[in-house]
Amino acid sequence: MWFVISGVLLIALKLADAGPFGAWSWWWVLSPFALATVWWWWADFTGYTKRREMDKMDARKLARRRKSLEALGLDPRAYDKQQRKAMAFRNSRQRQADKVEGKRGAKRQEQRDSILSSRFDSGHASSGIDSVQATQQATRQPVDSKR
């Protein structure tokens, strides 16, 4: 908005031929409008305007909630305190759950590593069929080729 205001002010000064502004090129006088366009594009592209709009809506919602609580005879500060306590409790429960899950994950990883390190070296047989044939040859059983 400041770019637009300064652009209008510069146009007025240019048209009035006041001071050094009368000698400026029109490109310099109109440049705040280009900057305003770039600013608006950036604000929309990054979501800045949407966040500001959401913040205003949240403030209106909070004011409406406080007004309703006061109309019911409840103290909004006590309500806010209760909400903060509930949020702190939920956060602590989440931290506890994350801690337990972290321990479980570590134990699972330890068990997985233990199982993987205790397996026999499977480099002798590249597939299940080779291992079956190797086992049958070791026990000298005839291979059934009809399977």
Side-chain angles (χ1 to χ4, degrees), residues 59-72 74-77 79-80 84:
R60 283 193 298 251
K61 186 190 318 181
L62 183 62
R64 193 170 55 244
R65 182 176 291 142
R66 286 177 188 257
K67 185 179 175 184
S68 297
L69 286 173
E70 287 174 0
L72 291 171
L74 301 173
D75 185 18
R77 289 175 296 200
Y79 178 77
D80 290 342
R84 283 192 304 272

Side-chain angles (χ1 to χ4, degrees), residues 10 13-15 17-25 29:
L10 285 175
L13 291 171
K14 172 79 173 169
L15 292 176
D17 217 14
F21 302 106
W24 282 8
S25 168
V29 173

Side-chain angles (χ1 to χ4, degrees), residues 30-144:
L30 297 176
S31 65
F33 294 110
L35 292 173
T37 304
V38 170
W39 166 256
W40 285 325
W41 172 83
W42 176 83
D44 287 341
F45 182 74
T46 60
Y48 179 75
T49 53
K50 195 65 167 174
R51 282 192 305 270
R52 297 259 323 243
E53 182 181 328
M54 289 171 63
D55 290 343
K56 286 179 185 178
M57 251 175 40
D58 288 343
R60 283 193 298 251
K61 186 190 318 181
L62 183 62
R64 193 170 55 244
R65 182 176 291 142
R66 286 177 188 257
K67 185 179 175 184
S68 297
L69 286 173
E70 287 174 0
L72 291 171
L74 301 173
D75 185 18
R77 289 175 296 200
Y79 178 77
D80 290 342
K81 185 177 179 181
Q82 180 183 7
Q83 291 297 319
R84 283 192 304 272
K85 276 185 169 181
M87 181 62 76
F89 178 74
R90 282 192 295 267
N91 289 340
S92 69
R93 293 290 292 187
Q94 185 63 43
R95 282 193 304 273
Q96 288 175 349
D98 292 343
K99 186 177 178 181
V100 168
E101 277 301 314
K103 287 180 181 179
R104 284 181 184 164
K107 190 170 185 174
R108 285 186 195 118
Q109 184 65 35
E110 181 182 319
Q111 290 172 348
R112 180 181 177 275
D113 292 342
S114 173
I115 290 170
L116 289 176
S117 65
S118 69
R119 288 186 179 170
F120 290 108
D121 185 18
S122 62
H124 297 307
S126 61
S127 69
I129 295 173
D130 293 340
S131 64
V132 169
Q133 289 175 350
T135 306
Q136 288 175 349
Q137 284 179 352
T139 59
R140 298 189 187 265
Q141 294 177 356
V143 177
D144 187 14

